[in-house]
Amino acid sequence: MSRPITFTPPAGAHAHRLQTARGEFAVLEAAAQGHQRGTVLFLPGFTGSKEDFISLHEPLAADGYRTVAVDGRGQYESPGPRDDESAYAQGELARDVLAQADAVGTPVHLVGHSLGGQIARAAVLLNPAPFVSLTLIASGPAQISASQQQRVKLLRDALTVMDMVEVWEAIQAMEPPEDTDTGDLDTGLEDRADLRRRWLGNSPAQLIATGRQLCTEPDRVAELAAVPLPKHVLSGDEDNTWPLPLLDEMAVRLNARRTVVHGSEHSPNTDQPEQTARALADFWNDVQRP
């Protein structure tokens, strides 16, 4: 589970509802400072939310980028059915992304973290026209590692027999002490109230459906490589969801820029936001340079 440093929007960012042709979505948006170089659409990962990019808004705005981070359908503050898994088929979520891009105002730089990267890939494969570039953050070529598949299966099984409160309490009981330490969180997160509220906002059907996708996703790298769009593979220097050699190989197959953010793990966007923002902006600046 990702742990953003805060759930309070930074200066210059505001929360609102994005109205699209496929319904409304909760977003955090920040305007560019000075001349706007481009617009960025961020997609969070499994059990995550728009707040996973909260520390990127300020540095990217200072570099001239308007940023929009979205909760996907049935994710945290975006509405979605609680018991209909069909609403969360990958193709449906990809069409949501195309609608979000249209509502934000194309063209956009598309960025997906983990599960969000695979949904972003599916959207680009449906229609690459709305996008200037694609960045995959800690998001691999196919299904997640065997150890992570076991964790996701446990969660999916629990959700079929327990409610969201019971599952949250079970997760807390199972986490080792170092994972429950909140010393690196701000005072608003000391009692984990924000993380709990985010968890309870998720649709169980969404978690079950997208968890299954993570465990069964096929390798679509060749399809994506054929799309003439600048690509960027970014990760931390440790990742047990998709091993780094797998991400290195994927970047080669995609002819993509490869960035490793040192001192971070599966969520460089929360672990090392300044380094991550710099790497993203450098990529976009090069993409847009004549």
Side-chain angles (χ1 to χ4, degrees):
M1 184 181 297
S2 60
R3 289 173 171 81
I5 194 170
T6 182
F7 276 61
T8 302
H14 67 288
H16 67 96
R17 315 297 292 188
L18 180 70
Q19 302 296 327
T20 81
R22 289 178 61 85
E24 68 173 27
F25 298 86
V27 302
L28 280 177
E29 178 171 349
Q33 297 175 15
H35 173 69
Q36 182 173 307
R37 293 182 173 185
T39 296
V40 185
L41 181 62
F42 287 109
L43 311 181
F46 185 63
T47 74
S49 68
K50 58 191 178 302
E51 286 75 18
D52 292 346
F53 307 101
I54 206 162
S55 298
L56 301 182
H57 292 288
E58 286 187 290
L60 291 176
D63 216 343
Y65 288 96
R66 172 190 174 213
T67 51
V68 183
V70 62
D71 286 338
R73 180 184 301 273
Q75 189 175 48
Y76 189 28
E77 294 181 322
S78 287
R82 307 283 291 180
D83 55 5
D84 179 10
E85 293 181 36
S86 67
Y88 307 107
Q90 190 183 76
E92 295 300 311
L93 299 179
R95 291 179 182 88
D96 286 348
V97 174
L98 295 175
Q100 293 157 9
D102 183 64
V104 164
T106 60
V108 301
H109 295 283
L110 184 60
V111 180
H113 172 239
S114 194
L115 171 71
Q118 298 196 331
I119 295 170
R121 177 172 73 178
V124 167
L125 291 175
L126 275 178
N127 181 12
F131 307 112
V132 182
S133 72
L134 172 65
T135 297
L136 305 175
I137 298 181
S139 185
Q143 73 273 12
I144 55 178
S145 66
S147 62
Q148 293 301 304
Q149 287 187 46
Q150 292 175 357
R151 290 169 64 92
V152 170
K153 185 180 185 302
L154 282 173
L155 175 58
R156 287 170 49 210
D157 289 347
L159 287 168
T160 63
V161 296
M162 302 164 68
D163 64 29
M164 292 292 284
V165 172
E166 291 170 330
V167 174
W168 170 261
E169 292 172 350
I171 290 171
Q172 303 316 297
M174 291 173 62
E175 285 188 339
E178 62 268 22
D179 287 346
T180 57
D181 176 24
T182 56
D184 60 345
L185 303 176
D186 72 4
T187 54
L189 290 174
E190 283 182 349
D191 62 356
R192 303 174 70 79
D194 288 315
L195 294 175
R196 182 179 186 274
R197 185 175 67 253
R198 178 174 70 175
W199 169 260
L200 295 179
N202 284 304
S203 157
Q206 180 266 129
L207 293 171
I208 292 170
T210 56
R212 183 181 299 109
Q213 291 170 30
L214 284 170
C215 296
T216 60
E217 179 74 3
D219 188 322
R220 305 186 71 187
V221 174
E223 293 176 70
L224 184 60
V227 177
L229 194 69
K231 305 171 188 76
H232 186 192
V233 175
L234 185 150
S235 74
D237 52 11
E238 291 186 34
D239 198 316
N240 61 6
T241 304
W242 284 281
L244 259 63
L246 203 60
L247 298 176
D248 295 340
E249 179 190 25
M250 182 178 74
V252 172
R253 294 170 64 195
L254 291 173
N255 192 28
R257 177 173 296 194
R258 178 74 174 104
T259 299
V260 176
V261 177
H262 296 287
S264 64
E265 298 182 11
H266 186 59
S267 298
N269 39 301
T270 59
D271 294 345
Q272 296 289 346
E274 291 290 339
Q275 291 183 45
T276 300
R278 182 71 267 148
L280 291 170
D282 287 347
F283 171 62
W284 299 326
N285 292 344
D286 288 345
V287 165
Q288 294 174 175
R289 185 173 294 125

